[in-house]
Amino acid sequence: MKIAVLGAGHMGGALVGGLLAARRARPRDLWVTDPNDDQRRAVQKKFGVRAGTDNRAAATWADVVVLCVKPQLMGEVLRGLRGAVGPRQTVLSVAAGVKTATIEKILGRVPVVRAMPNTPALLRAGALVYCRGARAGRKNEAAARALLSALGPVWKTTEARMDAVTALSGSGPAYVFLLAEAMAAAGAALGLPAATAEALARQTIYGAGRMLTESPEAPAELRRRVTSPGGTTEAALKVLLKGDWPGTMKKALAAAARRSKELSAM
């Protein structure tokens, strides 16, 4: 496939790197555009792909047009693509909160797939979820999955659930990073050197994450196995549960989902 990646920021660069590393594309199959000279040239130099600023030329050339632009810039970019993208191509959008119907309304009768990646995609360890627009068929879905799977595991959902996906996995890395900050600070408060406390927090979260992804056991069961009756873990969990940590997380995700809906209505 010939792939145009409009936007050479973190996600655009991650997609290009993932596609090349997974051998889903060759440098000559990719055309990256970005108005930011530094970002565009960095991707071009690192991966040896074609790069420029002409979105229309790249989109006309491509089989798949990947929209890696910020949501607030999407309207301007889409209006600039009118007539350059047709029904035989696939448009893949990774812009948070932008509905497939919004893209279809501006571009016309084009197949659109909307995806929500997250930042671990930069390490090809992302969680990627997509939904099909009204005109996207199996061929378009297969093309989108081929690209997304270069960055991590892929799930399919309905568009009505994309706000929940955004709240859980799209914003989710920030929750884990906040947990790491809090654990490191608490460890330092107990007398550990700050660098040691941070290193222990990072490695603990990494190891727990591997157990979650590699074990068939449910998270609740893994937690129970660490929690000995009357032990240190139980003492800590009692404090967290007394503070209604699960309830706070539920409220946090609800707030993120509401904001995602608000963005899609803009």
Side-chain angles (χ1 to χ4, degrees), residues 208-242:
R210 283 198 59 184
M211 290 184 72
L212 281 167
T213 55
E214 296 177 16
S215 170
E217 302 293 344
E221 177 58 28
L222 293 173
R223 173 178 54 81
R224 282 191 289 269
R225 290 184 180 182
V226 182
T227 311
S228 302
T232 59
T233 305
E234 184 181 68
L237 290 178
K238 282 182 178 179
V239 174
L240 291 171
L241 293 173
K242 187 176 181 180

Side-chain angles (χ1 to χ4, degrees), residues 34 78 81 120 155 174 188 206 209 217 264:
D34 199 292
L78 291 175
L81 293 177
W155 290 266
Y206 169 74
E217 302 293 344
S264 67

Side-chain angles (χ1 to χ4, degrees), residues 165-179:
V165 168
T166 301
L168 178 56
S169 60
S171 299
Y175 315 150
V176 179
F177 301 150
L178 179 60
L179 173 62

Side-chain angles (χ1 to χ4, degrees), residues 132-158:
R132 282 165 42 174
R135 300 188 181 281
R138 292 183 179 179
K139 182 179 178 180
N140 310 110
E141 181 178 350
R145 284 191 73 103
L147 271 61
L148 295 171
S149 61
L151 303 180
V154 180
W155 290 266
K156 180 181 180 180
T157 191
T158 61

Side-chain angles (χ1 to χ4, degrees), residues 14-104:
L15 179 60
V16 170
L19 288 170
L20 294 174
R23 297 185 179 180
R24 305 287 173 81
R26 298 160 295 183
R28 68 187 186 193
D29 300 324
L30 291 156
W31 187 342
V32 179
T33 66
D34 199 292
N36 184 298
D37 291 341
D38 292 337
Q39 289 186 169
R40 184 182 68 254
R41 289 169 181 167
V43 171
Q44 183 179 31
K45 181 178 180 180
K46 184 175 181 179
F47 301 113
V49 298
R50 184 176 183 179
T53 59
D54 193 336
N55 289 340
R56 287 186 65 85
T60 302
W61 166 85
D63 299 308
V64 180
V65 180
V66 187
L67 302 173
C68 291
V69 299
K70 295 179 180 179
Q72 58 267 34
L73 300 177
M74 183 64 85
E76 179 184 351
V77 170
L78 291 175
R79 287 189 290 273
L81 293 177
R82 280 180 178 150
V85 183
R88 294 187 179 182
Q89 294 165 288
T90 300
V91 174
L92 172 61
S93 171
V94 297
V98 181
K99 293 183 178 180
T100 57
T102 300
I103 299 172
E104 293 162 351

